[in-house]
């Protein structure tokens, strides 16, 4: 199989991971520009109502920028024609990013579902409910997509 044929045969998980990043970036941009829908259930009522500058700059604008970079990286795992050490390095970065997203979703889900640390009591019933049924599964989905893209890249199928 030639490089062009191998590149064309790659699964397109990176495009789905990029779409996940873009959707989440748009939501963070909406919040950064003053939107409120879903913010209290994600960040908590106090942060959503006070919106301290560190939260708006780092937690909203900063996360949106990281997600946009992530979208380019994930799409690149499909489009870039890499080999050798560079291909392995990009795959490792993808695995790390996917593992962080997946771990965030699973660990927070477990902490909230079991209330082992009192986190569910601390954040409140509404934020816990939204986290259990929307936000944490969203992180698990993103982590899985990035891991699939990185695994495909590592196997030469991106």
């Amino acid at each position: 199989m030639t490089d062009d044929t191998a590149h064309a045969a790659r699964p397109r998980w990176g495009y789905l991971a990029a779409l996940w990043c873009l959707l989440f970036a748009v939501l963070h941009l909406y919040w950064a520009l003053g939107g409120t829908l879903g913010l209290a259930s994600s960040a908590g009522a106090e942060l959503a109502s006070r919106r301290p500058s560190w939260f708006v700059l780092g937690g909203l604008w900063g996360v949106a920028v990281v997600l946009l970079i992530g979208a380019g990286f994930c799409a690149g795992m499909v489009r870039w024609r890499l080999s050798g050490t560079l291909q392995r390095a990009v795959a490792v970065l993808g695995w790390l990013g996917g593992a962080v997203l997946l771990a965030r979703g699973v660990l927070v889900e477990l902490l909230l579902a079991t209330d082992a640390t009192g986190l569910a009591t601390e954040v409140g019933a509404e934020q816990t409910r939204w986290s259990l049924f929307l936000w944490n599964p969203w992180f698990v989905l993103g982590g899985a997509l990035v891991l699939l893209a990185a695994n495909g890249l590592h196997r030469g199928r991106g």
Side-chain angles (χ1 to χ4, degrees), residues 72-153:
F73 181 83
C74 289
M77 284 195 283
V78 177
R79 303 209 33 96
W80 297 327
R81 295 172 192 250
L82 305 172
S83 61
T85 303
L86 187 55
Q87 181 177 347
R88 283 188 294 280
V90 168
V92 166
L93 283 174
W95 288 328
L96 289 172
V100 166
L101 291 169
L102 189 63
R104 189 270 184 218
V106 170
L107 292 175
V108 173
E109 188 81 3
L110 289 173
L111 290 173
L112 286 172
T114 63
D115 200 22
T117 62
L119 182 61
T121 306
E122 183 180 322
V123 299
E126 182 184 3
Q127 189 177 355
T128 297
R129 187 173 36 260
W130 279 102
S131 291
L132 288 172
F133 298 108
L134 176 63
W135 301 119
N136 296 328
W138 180 254
F139 278 94
V140 169
L141 173 63
L145 291 172
V146 174
L147 286 170
L148 286 166
N151 191 54
L153 175 67

Side-chain angles (χ1 to χ4, degrees), residues 7-104:
H7 182 264
R10 289 180 178 177
R12 303 304 190 211
W13 293 113
Y15 290 140
L16 290 174
L19 178 61
W20 180 92
C21 289
L22 286 173
L23 291 173
F24 214 21
V26 166
L27 183 58
H28 280 79
L29 290 170
Y30 163 77
W31 288 333
L33 293 170
T36 59
L37 184 65
L39 184 60
S41 68
S42 172
E46 186 177 336
L47 274 179
S49 64
R50 284 191 19 248
R51 290 184 185 245
S53 58
W54 65 264
F55 172 67
V56 174
L57 289 174
L60 301 178
W61 286 107
V63 169
V65 167
V66 169
L67 286 163
L68 291 172
I69 292 168
F73 181 83
C74 289
M77 284 195 283
V78 177
R79 303 209 33 96
W80 297 327
R81 295 172 192 250
L82 305 172
S83 61
T85 303
L86 187 55
Q87 181 177 347
R88 283 188 294 280
V90 168
V92 166
L93 283 174
W95 288 328
L96 289 172
V100 166
L101 291 169
L102 189 63
R104 189 270 184 218

